[in-house]
Amino acid sequence: MSNITIKDVAKKANVSISTVSLVLNGKAENIPDVTIEKVKDACRTLNYKRNMNASSLKSKVSKLAGLIVPDLENSYYSRVASCISTILYERGYSLVISSCDNNFEKEVDYINQMAARQVDALFLFPSAIGLSDKNKPLLKKTLDDCGLKIIILDRQTFLNSYIEVVNDDFYGATLACQFLVNKGFKRIACITGPKNVSSSDDRLAGYLEVVKQNGIFDESLIYVGDYHSELARIQARLILQRNDVDAIFAFNDLSAYAVYEVAGELNKKVGEDIFVVGYDNNPFSALITPKLTSVGQNINEMCQIAVDRMFDKRNVIETIKVRPTLVERDE
Amino acid sequence: MSNITIKDVAKKANVSISTVSLVLNGKAENIPDVTIEKVKDACRTLNYKRNMNASSLKSKVSKLAGLIVPDLENSYYSRVASCISTILYERGYSLVISSCDNNFEKEVDYINQMAARQVDALFLFPSAIGLSDKNKPLLKKTLDDCGLKIIILDRQTFLNSYIEVVNDDFYGATLACQFLVNKGFKRIACITGPKNVSSSDDRLAGYLEVVKQNGIFDESLIYVGDYHSELARIQARLILQRNDVDAIFAFNDLSAYAVYEVAGELNKKVGEDIFVVGYDNNPFSALITPKLTSVGQNINEMCQIAVDRMFDKRNVIETIKVRPTLVERDE
DNA sequence: GTGAAAGCGCTAACAA
DNA sequence: TTGTTAGCGCTTTCAC
């Protein structure tokens, strides 16, 4: 830690402390260019480093935002983290990122930590466990008490107290399903996510909407998954062994990969014997053969909206739905 | 922002400010339990939130660490970020994570920003561009001037001024190559990374060591890649069309995936007609068929060592090499 | 064991 | 236009 302060700079440049502060904060409209230069020179020669803690203590603006995600190792969240960080960088903000690892205690802890750090806004991707009936009240209390500007992302919480920027999962599912219908498939199975998780419930609603509208609904074609590989493999095997299914709408890409795997074992060819569409647009989907068509959340758009809301002084409490896009690939 | 301060807590609990501070910092050895309880109660009822900025301004300890990576979207770095964050959480530290997106200006900027934030330590994964002959001097100057405790990760910088925790790429390559030799392969090609990037150079040295020692060296089996898919596909095609190659050591998993892809196009079967080993142990390698055997950097070990060094007051400047492991899979 | 008080580095209102 | 000054909320000696 350097101990060169604004005071040293002022002395070196032969100006007052407040002049230095003004220059440093770009509020130097009324200060002659020569003075500005003198100050900047002094900063450079002294190798002055600004102390944001002191500045934020006084000004109540930390130029720091917080991001809490359920699992940073998940590529979806790391893409989001990267995206928010990039957008904030343009505005001179840094980002504290915490991954609660789907642990509710940690989630609450991190929210409080963010408050202690005086972040100017907190972007929260609520974990599924935090949104469970059991934990939701404490989550709400923590959020209310922390006094931060909260922007909820990804999942609709129905807490009705915060700005929410969520994915339109219903719409995304209709996109995927309609795509399959347009290809002429009539026997379209799906591998869902866990029950009572809103993303999966919404995707299922979208699926039902399309199959029913097209008169090809068959309840036995709905296979409940949990977004993980093991169960998806089991369900994929059951589906493929039926021999009466044309296409599968997997509610996430990981489940779609399981279909690829099981198809290989059963000597079926994805893209010929069975057609698959995924959800999430995981980067790997472009690497497998055949490349997987997948519904892609518009991460950039979501993050951009979220950051815009962070700086929006009006602070309107509302839920904004971001529509995903179907990324068509090989098949 | 709540405006309840330590002062309010003191008043509420009928004790002095310093008593509250002592309790809050766990330095309350000489304070009776009743008093401690009174303070804690007051904090709870007032919903007091500690202001870390003020605390760190005074105490010179921010309980904040910084991490700068070249690209957070890359799963390797997001795994690292998650790992360091988890380890630091145990010690009550938060982590500011910045992704410089392989942009050197941003990298320098972020280093200075971390200094301004008074982080207690900075973990830096230097970008390739930052380590180029052109930029290295400025990188060093920035690092020296920032006055932070620096811990370089991943790549050896040869700056000789900082603690470095790097991957032993030479060793990892010998592991991969020896594995192929043990399987009885004699015609082992490789797809390297970019020239003059130390990780690739070291892996090549490891490859050469093993093939030469086993008398199966053939210069024409070395195919220069760049860690990206496009070039890897071109090289993979050339290799497979030779029809005299048993096995391929791809210097990263992405290049290995390209071999899978091209093999499919040429109607060759990975695991039968051609054997592949990768490097990086990308999570996706467990999902493709056949599952890819890959050299895995020991991320946990690397991060643990790095964090240990952060708290090591002796501050010995040295380079620690972390040995990777071969993760054997399907083939 | 507890309290008073100085001051960390900075900002901003006010004065000159 | 520039300088003086009073804190921001907290830690930490040093008295009591």
Side-chain angles (χ1 to χ4, degrees):
Chain A
M1 284 314 127
S2 67
N3 12 359
I4 290 138
T5 76
I6 200 177
K7 214 169 156 184
D8 302 312
V9 175
K11 198 180 292 170
K12 178 90 182 177
N14 262 314
V15 296
S16 80
I17 291 175
S18 56
T19 306
V20 177
S21 175
L22 255 19
V23 172
L24 256 37
N25 289 299
K27 296 180 184 169
E29 300 109 3
N30 300 325
I31 294 173
D33 289 355
V34 241
T35 313
I36 296 181
E37 270 319 306
K38 266 200 301 188
V39 171
K40 288 192 172 166
D41 273 353
C43 286
R44 233 168 283 134
T45 54
L46 290 175
N47 185 30
Y48 165 76
K49 297 279 181 234
R50 185 173 220 252
N51 184 328
M52 288 298 284
N53 282 331
S55 146
S56 106
L57 176 60
K58 180 71 200 181
S59 70
K60 309 281 178 205
V61 176
S62 64
K63 291 248 173 191
L64 195 64
L67 169 66
I68 301 176
V69 296
D71 173 18
L72 190 57
E73 298 196 28
N74 181 315
S75 85
Y76 174 60
Y77 297 116
S78 62
R79 281 154 70 201
V80 165
S82 175
C83 189
I84 294 186
S85 161
T86 302
I87 299 174
L88 286 178
Y89 171 75
E90 315 283 327
R91 293 177 169 257
Y93 268 72
S94 309
L95 190 64
V96 181
I97 303 173
S98 296
S99 174
C100 75
D101 302 325
N102 289 301
N103 173 333
F104 181 60
E105 264 182 63
K106 254 179 138 172
E107 191 168 9
V108 168
D109 231 53
Y110 277 136
I111 294 169
N112 289 324
Q113 218 170 85
M114 293 293 181
R117 296 256 171 237
Q118 315 291 119
V119 297
D120 293 340
L122 172 59
F123 298 100
L124 174 68
F125 282 72
S127 68
I129 182 88
L131 250 30
S132 65
D133 290 342
K134 186 178 147 231
N135 293 323
K136 207 162 162 178
L138 177 53
L139 181 66
K140 181 167 169 49
K141 183 175 168 18
T142 309
L143 253 17
D144 284 342
D145 286 354
C146 77
L148 296 175
K149 172 144 194 175
I150 308 277
I151 294 146
I152 304 272
L153 283 148
D154 202 37
R155 295 188 158 105
Q156 196 156 4
T157 63
F158 300 102
L159 256 24
N160 300 319
S161 321
Y162 316 107
I163 296 168
E164 303 197 335
V165 185
V166 305
N167 291 303
D168 193 338
D169 287 299
F170 176 87
Y171 175 78
T174 63
L175 232 45
C177 231
Q178 194 59 53
F179 169 76
L180 292 172
V181 169
N182 292 348
K183 287 245 171 197
F185 298 118
K186 300 244 179 291
R187 304 286 299 160
I188 304 173
C190 68
I191 302 176
T192 74
K195 272 194 173 139
N196 297 320
V197 166
S198 70
S199 68
S200 177
D201 292 346
D202 292 351
R203 288 171 200 181
L204 183 60
Y207 164 85
L208 291 174
E209 165 95 358
V210 174
V211 291
K212 283 183 176 165
Q213 237 174 31
N214 286 277
I216 55 172
F217 169 63
D218 174 352
E219 191 162 3
S220 79
L221 291 173
I222 300 172
Y223 288 79
V224 176
D226 61 359
Y227 287 152
H228 293 292
S229 299
E230 296 73 43
L231 184 52
R233 268 196 293 267
I234 293 168
Q235 301 296 50
R237 185 173 299 274
L238 291 175
I239 295 171
L240 292 174
Q241 282 170 342
R242 287 174 64 141
N243 283 318
D244 70 341
V245 173
D246 296 319
I248 302 175
F249 170 30
F251 281 21
N252 73 344
D253 281 1
L254 212 57
S255 301
Y257 305 150
V259 176
Y260 276 60
E261 206 179 326
V262 173
E265 292 167 16
L266 299 177
N267 276 314
K268 300 206 178 207
K269 271 211 136 172
V270 175
E272 291 175 22
D273 308 310
I274 186 80
F275 209 93
V276 187
V277 169
Y279 205 115
D280 278 350
N281 194 27
N282 190 305
F284 296 135
S285 296
L287 297 175
I288 50 175
T289 320
K291 299 195 177 89
L292 178 67
T293 292
S294 181
V295 179
Q297 273 124 11
N298 285 313
I299 292 181
N300 284 320
E301 191 187 345
M302 179 174 74
C303 295
Q304 188 64 61
I305 292 174
V307 174
D308 286 348
R309 289 295 168 142
M310 159 177 173
F311 290 105
D312 182 354
K313 296 287 160 230
R314 294 171 308 137
N315 207 29
V316 188
I317 303 302
E318 62 180 335
T319 297
I320 300 125
K321 288 205 172 188
V322 179
R323 289 195 155 187
T325 316
L326 186 73
V327 182
E328 293 186 38
R329 296 219 174 79
D330 270 5
E331 301 183 301
Chain B
M1 281 318 124
S2 66
N3 12 0
I4 290 139
T5 74
I6 200 175
K7 214 169 154 183
D8 302 312
V9 176
K11 198 180 292 171
K12 179 90 183 175
N14 262 313
V15 297
S16 80
I17 292 176
S18 55
T19 307
V20 177
S21 175
L22 255 20
V23 172
L24 255 39
N25 290 300
K27 296 180 184 170
E29 299 110 3
N30 300 325
I31 294 172
D33 288 356
V34 238
T35 313
I36 295 181
E37 271 318 309
K38 268 200 299 186
V39 170
K40 288 191 171 167
D41 274 354
C43 286
R44 234 170 282 137
T45 53
L46 290 175
N47 185 30
Y48 165 76
K49 299 277 181 234
R50 184 177 227 263
N51 185 328
M52 288 299 284
N53 282 330
S55 142
S56 107
L57 175 60
K58 182 71 200 179
S59 70
K60 309 280 178 206
V61 175
S62 64
K63 290 248 177 193
L64 195 62
L67 169 66
I68 300 175
V69 297
D71 173 19
L72 190 58
E73 297 196 30
N74 180 316
S75 85
Y76 174 60
Y77 296 115
S78 61
R79 280 154 70 201
V80 165
S82 176
C83 188
I84 294 185
S85 162
T86 302
I87 299 174
L88 286 178
Y89 171 76
E90 314 284 327
R91 295 177 168 256
Y93 267 73
S94 308
L95 190 62
V96 181
I97 303 174
S98 296
S99 173
C100 75
D101 301 324
N102 289 302
N103 173 333
F104 181 60
E105 265 180 62
K106 254 178 137 173
E107 190 168 8
V108 168
D109 232 52
Y110 278 136
I111 294 169
N112 289 325
Q113 218 170 86
M114 294 293 181
R117 296 258 171 236
Q118 314 292 120
V119 298
D120 293 340
L122 172 58
F123 298 100
L124 174 68
F125 283 72
S127 69
I129 182 87
L131 252 28
S132 65
D133 290 343
K134 186 177 146 231
N135 293 324
K136 207 163 162 178
L138 177 54
L139 181 66
K140 181 167 169 51
K141 181 173 169 19
T142 309
L143 252 18
D144 284 341
D145 286 355
C146 77
L148 296 174
K149 171 144 194 175
I150 308 278
I151 294 147
I152 304 272
L153 283 148
D154 203 37
R155 296 187 157 104
Q156 196 155 6
T157 62
F158 300 104
L159 255 24
N160 301 319
S161 320
Y162 316 107
I163 296 168
E164 303 196 335
V165 185
V166 304
N167 290 302
D168 194 338
D169 287 299
F170 176 88
Y171 175 78
T174 63
L175 231 46
C177 231
Q178 192 60 52
F179 170 74
L180 292 172
V181 168
N182 292 348
K183 286 245 171 197
F185 298 119
K186 300 243 178 291
R187 304 285 300 159
I188 304 172
C190 68
I191 301 176
T192 73
K195 272 193 172 139
N196 296 320
V197 166
S198 69
S199 68
S200 176
D201 292 347
D202 292 352
R203 289 170 201 182
L204 184 59
Y207 164 86
L208 291 174
E209 166 97 357
V210 173
V211 291
K212 283 184 176 165
Q213 237 174 31
N214 287 276
I216 55 173
F217 169 63
D218 173 354
E219 191 162 3
S220 79
L221 292 173
I222 300 172
Y223 288 78
V224 176
D226 61 359
Y227 286 152
H228 293 292
S229 298
E230 296 74 41
L231 184 52
R233 270 196 292 266
I234 292 169
Q235 302 296 50
R237 185 173 299 274
L238 291 175
I239 295 170
L240 293 174
Q241 282 172 341
R242 285 174 65 142
N243 284 318
D244 69 340
V245 173
D246 296 320
I248 301 176
F249 170 30
F251 280 21
N252 73 343
D253 281 1
L254 212 58
S255 301
Y257 304 152
V259 175
Y260 276 61
E261 208 179 325
V262 173
E265 292 168 15
L266 299 178
N267 277 313
K268 299 205 178 206
K269 273 212 134 171
V270 174
E272 292 176 20
D273 307 311
I274 187 79
F275 209 93
V276 187
V277 170
Y279 205 115
D280 276 349
N281 194 27
N282 191 307
F284 186 58
S285 296
L287 297 174
I288 52 175
T289 321
K291 300 198 177 87
L292 178 67
T293 293
S294 181
V295 179
Q297 272 124 13
N298 286 313
I299 291 181
N300 284 321
E301 189 186 345
M302 180 173 73
C303 295
Q304 189 62 62
I305 292 174
V307 174
D308 285 348
R309 289 294 168 142
M310 160 178 174
F311 290 104
D312 182 356
K313 295 288 161 233
R314 294 172 308 138
N315 207 29
V316 188
I317 304 302
E318 63 180 334
T319 297
I320 301 125
K321 289 205 170 188
V322 179
R323 289 195 155 187
T325 317
L326 186 73
V327 182
E328 293 185 39
R329 296 220 175 78
D330 271 4
E331 300 184 301

